[in-house]
């Protein structure tokens, strides 16, 4: 297990919950209003440290490593529950820390976990901040603003989308730049944020990527063969399969029908290449630009309109009595809280004080 250094002002703790032992980073006074930060895929809670340290006075930052990441206990993710395992882990952590209600912030896959929390326990959420979240309809394999699947078996989503080269280099903890398509360092600096941005904590965040458990029952997870392009569909275990639209179910309807609707801030980069309407991690986009052969065409398998789907759901959230505010940051990629911390924190802190 990799032990990552922390910034001054951040402490760590192993918290025994009713579900698993979770490694947690903490900032601010124990008596402060709790703010739970949920990290994205192929990362860990350390990505949030600068944002935690910038919290206003009177707030307590809490950033767990999700199961299968960082220094938390490993337990497999049951993908057939969607992101339910992650959401239930967060609720169990809040219970263990005595947090009846809390603010929540999620980045990328962590934002998708927040959508699951919003469907599961909205009454426990004071405010929601979504930083470049995945679509509420999952990642890959859908083709319109309503999240209609491209194929009945949801082919083109799940663990089969992960590059075996990338997974292998993560497992090897490769810190080089020899593989232009799959070196973790190059993937981070090309896609996690917009070039030429570089973080001062590059080596720590790269090490954080290596904490993901690359193994048969986690990452990239299993897959099934499909008669539909691109020939693979989602399996039943691991985070990438949990992100498949196959397991979204009635999540959106539950969000919209809930009586309690906490205020939502959605903040994202205009130049995000991971979560966008032309994501370079979506097979619809890769087929369209001929990076993956035998694409069946725009009508059958277009690029997933990820941001468009999120915007439509949040517009419906307003229509159902909720509140959301969208901010798109220019010259910004997939990590607005790191790339544009001043703009991000200004909007985030304003929401924290919203009553």
């Amino acid at each position: 297990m990799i032990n990552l250094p922390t910034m001054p002002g951040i402490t760590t703790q192993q918290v025994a919950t009713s579900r698993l032992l979770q490694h947690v980073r903490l900032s601010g006074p124990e008596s402060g209003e709790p703010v739970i930060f949920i990290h994205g895929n192929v990362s860990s809670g350390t990505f949030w440290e600068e944002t935690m340290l910038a919290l206003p006075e009177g707030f307590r930052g809490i950033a767990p490593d999700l199961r299968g990441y960082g220094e938390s206990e490993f337990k497999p993710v049951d993908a057939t529950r969607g992101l339910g395992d992650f959401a239930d882990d967060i609720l169990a952590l809040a219970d263990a820390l005595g947090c009846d209600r809390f603010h929540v912030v999620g980045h990328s896959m962590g934002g998708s976990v927040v959508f699951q929390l919003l469907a599961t326990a909205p009454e426990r959420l004071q405010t929601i901040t979504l930083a470049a979240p995945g679509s509420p309809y999952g990642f890959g394999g859908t083709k319109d603003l309503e999240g209609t699947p491209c194929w009945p078996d949801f082919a083109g989503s799940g663990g089969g989308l992960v590059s075996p080269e990338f997974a292998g280099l993560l497992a090897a903890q490769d810190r080089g730049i020899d593989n232009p398509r799959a070196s973790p360092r190059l993937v981070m600096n090309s896609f996690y944020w917009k070039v030429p941005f570089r973080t001062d904590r590059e080596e720590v965040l790269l090490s954080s990527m290596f904490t993901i458990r690359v193994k048969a029952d986690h990452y990239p997870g299993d897959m099934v063969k499909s008669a539909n392009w691109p020939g693979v569909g989602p399996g039943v275990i691991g985070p990438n399969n949990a992100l498949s639209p196959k397991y979204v179910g009635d999540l959106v309807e539950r969000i919209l029908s809930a009586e309690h609707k906490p205020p939502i801030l959605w903040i994202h980069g205009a130049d995000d290449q991971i979560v966008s309407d032309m994501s370079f991690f979506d097979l619809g986009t890769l087929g369209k630009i001929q990076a993956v052969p035998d694409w069946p065409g725009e009508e059958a398998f277009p690029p997933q309109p990820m941001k468009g789907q999120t915007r439509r759901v949040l517009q419906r959230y307003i229509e159902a009595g909720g509140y959301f505010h969208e901010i798109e940051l220019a010259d910004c990629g997939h990590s607005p809280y790191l790339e544009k911390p001043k703009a991000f924190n200004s909007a985030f802190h304003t929401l924290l004080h919203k009553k």
Side-chain angles (χ1 to χ4, degrees), residues 44 138 194 244 295:
S44 75
K194 183 182 178 181
S244 169
W295 181 54

Side-chain angles (χ1 to χ4, degrees), residues 139 187-195 269-282 285 306-307 332-335 339:
F139 197 97
V187 169
M188 180 176 70
N189 285 321
S190 300
F191 294 103
Y192 280 33
W193 32 79
K194 183 182 178 181
V195 174
D271 303 308
D272 193 335
Q273 298 183 85
I274 296 178
V275 175
S276 74
D277 293 345
M278 281 285 289
S279 168
F280 284 96
F281 290 75
D282 172 45
T285 299
M306 299 177 185
K307 288 187 178 183
C332 180
H334 188 57
S335 302
E339 297 173 74

Side-chain angles (χ1 to χ4, degrees), residues 153 223-228 231-233:
D153 64 352
M223 67 191 81
V224 298
K225 292 183 179 180
S226 172
N228 297 309
V232 294

Side-chain angles (χ1 to χ4, degrees), residues 222-255:
D222 59 338
M223 67 191 81
V224 298
K225 292 183 179 180
S226 172
N228 297 309
W229 186 86
V232 294
V236 298
I237 200 163
N240 285 61
N241 287 313
L243 286 164
S244 169
K246 180 176 182 177
Y247 305 120
V248 167
D250 63 352
L251 179 142
V252 170
E253 288 70 27
R254 289 160 58 202
I255 289 173

Side-chain angles (χ1 to χ4, degrees), residues 144-176:
D144 56 26
L145 298 185
E146 286 69 45
T148 303
C150 297
W151 307 117
D153 64 352
F154 297 89
S157 67
L161 274 62
V162 176
S163 161
E165 287 181 288
F166 179 60
L169 291 172
L170 285 174
Q173 299 183 19
D174 186 288
R175 308 186 78 89

